[in-house]
C-alpha cells in the first residue's frame, strides 16, 4: 500500500492524543505575550481585574496606563476602539500590568491614596487633557465642583466642558474624575455609573 491509499480514518487522532491539560493554553498565551512584548510587537497590553465596582479592564502602552474601563462600557468595544485609535497589536498580557493591578487592589483596600503609575494620555487632547491633568491634584477624600475645576484650569466659563472631560475620562479611578461633583454637592454623572461613583466616594471618606 502506498501513501495514496490512506483515507481520512487512517490519520484520525485518538481523542486522548488531543486532550489539552489544564493550564496549558494559559501558559502558551503567557509565553506568546512575553515574546511579543520582548520583540516589540505588542503595542497595547491588557488585563481584567475584579474590584468592588465590578470588573475593570486595564490597558497600557509602552508609555504607560492608557485606559481603565468599566464593564458597563463593554470591554470588547473598548478593545476594538483601542485597536482603531492606537494599534491593532493588542494582547492580553497580565504580567505587563502587574504593578497597575497591584495598585488598584491597594486602592480599593484603602491602603493606597495616590497612584504612582506612568500614564499615557494619548486618548485625550486639548482642554480635556488639561482637565485630566488637574484631576490628579484633587487629594484623596476631597472633592471639587465642576465650576471649581473650570476655574482651576483657567477657564471659569467652561463648566460644561469640564463635565464632558470627566465623562470621557479614559482613566477613571486612577485619574479621579469621581471627585468632581456639582456645585450643590450632588453627584453629577460618571462613566462607571452613579453606584460606582458613590462607592468610590464612600471608600475615600471612610479611609481619609
Amino acid at each position: 500500500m502506498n501513501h495514496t491509499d490512506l483515507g481520512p480514518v487512517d490519520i484520525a487522532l485518538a481523542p486522548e492524543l488531543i486532550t489539552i491539560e489544564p493550564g496549558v493554553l494559559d501558559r502558551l498565551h503567557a509565553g506568546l505575550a512575553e515574546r511579543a512584548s520582548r520583540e516589540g510587537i505588542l503595542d497595547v497590553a491588557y488585563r481584567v481585574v475584579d474590584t468592588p465596582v465590578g470588573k475593570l479592564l486595564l490597558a497600557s502602552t509602552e508609555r504607560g496606563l492608557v485606559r481603565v474601563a468599566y464593564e458597563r462600557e463593554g470591554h470588547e468595544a473598548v478593545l476594538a476602539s483601542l485597536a482603531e485609535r492606537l494599534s491593532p497589536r493588542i494582547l492580553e498580557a497580565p504580567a505587563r500590568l502587574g504593578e497597575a493591578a497591584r495598585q488598584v487592589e491597594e486602592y480599593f483596600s484603602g491602603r493606597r491614596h495616590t497612584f504612582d503609575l506612568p500614564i499615557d494620555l494619548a486618548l485625550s487632547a486639548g482642554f480635556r487633557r488639561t482637565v485630566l491633568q488637574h484631576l490628579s491634584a484633587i487629594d484623596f477624600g476631597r472633592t471639587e465642583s465642576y465650576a471649581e475645576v473650570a476655574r482651576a484650569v483657567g477657564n471659569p466659563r467652561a463648566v460644561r466642558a469640564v463635565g464632558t472631560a470627566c465623562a470621557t475620562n479614559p482613566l477613571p479611578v486612577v485619574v479621579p474624575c469621581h471627585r468632581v461633583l456639582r456645585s450643590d454637592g450632588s453627584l453629577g454623572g460618571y462613566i462607571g455609573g452613579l453606584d460606582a461613583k458613590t462607592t468610590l466616594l464612600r471608600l475615600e471618606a471612610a479611609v481619609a
Side-chain angles (χ1 to χ4, degrees), residues 132-170:
L132 297 186
Q133 290 169 331
H134 171 76
L135 295 183
S136 294
I138 304 175
D139 290 338
F140 182 97
R142 298 179 64 91
T143 62
E144 289 185 6
S145 69
Y146 294 102
E148 287 173 326
V149 173
R151 287 196 294 272
V153 297
N155 195 342
R157 301 179 66 178
V159 177
R160 188 178 296 274
V162 168
T164 300
C166 291
T168 57
N169 175 13

Side-chain angles (χ1 to χ4, degrees), residues 2-206:
N2 60 45
H3 69 282
T4 60
D5 298 321
L6 295 174
V9 70
D10 299 310
I11 59 174
L13 297 175
E16 61 271 22
L17 297 180
I18 58 175
T19 298
I20 299 174
E21 296 294 330
V24 169
L25 288 180
D26 289 342
R27 290 195 293 274
L28 287 172
H29 186 99
L32 176 63
E34 181 182 353
R35 180 176 178 182
S37 182
R38 186 173 62 248
E39 296 181 358
I41 56 175
L42 175 58
D43 294 332
V44 182
Y46 75 91
R47 71 181 292 173
V48 176
V49 296
D50 289 313
T51 76
V53 291
K55 293 182 182 297
L56 293 178
L57 181 144
L58 311 176
S60 74
T61 65
E62 286 290 341
R63 286 183 289 184
L65 192 67
V66 72
R67 192 71 167 90
V68 176
Y70 281 93
E71 201 167 10
R72 73 197 300 264
E73 298 179 71
H75 288 170
E76 291 299 322
V78 170
L79 292 172
S81 176
L82 291 174
E84 181 178 350
R85 298 182 64 182
L86 298 178
S87 169
R89 299 196 300 190
I90 297 177
L91 194 62
E92 185 173 17
R96 202 160 111 175
L97 286 141
E99 178 61 21
R102 184 179 67 82
Q103 292 195 23
V104 167
E105 190 278 328
E106 289 175 349
Y107 169 80
F108 280 106
S109 68
R111 292 180 288 121
R112 174 172 291 277
H113 292 187
T114 60
F115 287 94
D116 183 18
L117 295 168
I119 297 296
D120 183 352
L121 291 177
L123 298 175
S124 296
F127 184 73
R128 292 183 185 182
R129 178 179 289 200
T130 300
V131 170
L132 297 186
Q133 290 169 331
H134 171 76
L135 295 183
S136 294
I138 304 175
D139 290 338
F140 182 97
R142 298 179 64 91
T143 62
E144 289 185 6
S145 69
Y146 294 102
E148 287 173 326
V149 173
R151 287 196 294 272
V153 297
N155 195 342
R157 301 179 66 178
V159 177
R160 188 178 296 274
V162 168
T164 300
C166 291
T168 57
N169 175 13
L171 293 158
V173 180
V174 175
V175 175
C177 58
H178 60 275
R179 296 174 190 160
V180 185
L181 307 176
R182 289 177 175 158
S183 296
D184 63 3
S186 60
L187 291 177
Y190 186 58
I191 193 169
L194 296 186
D195 286 346
K197 188 170 187 175
T198 299
T199 297
L200 296 175
L201 292 172
R202 286 177 176 170
L203 180 153
E204 296 189 5

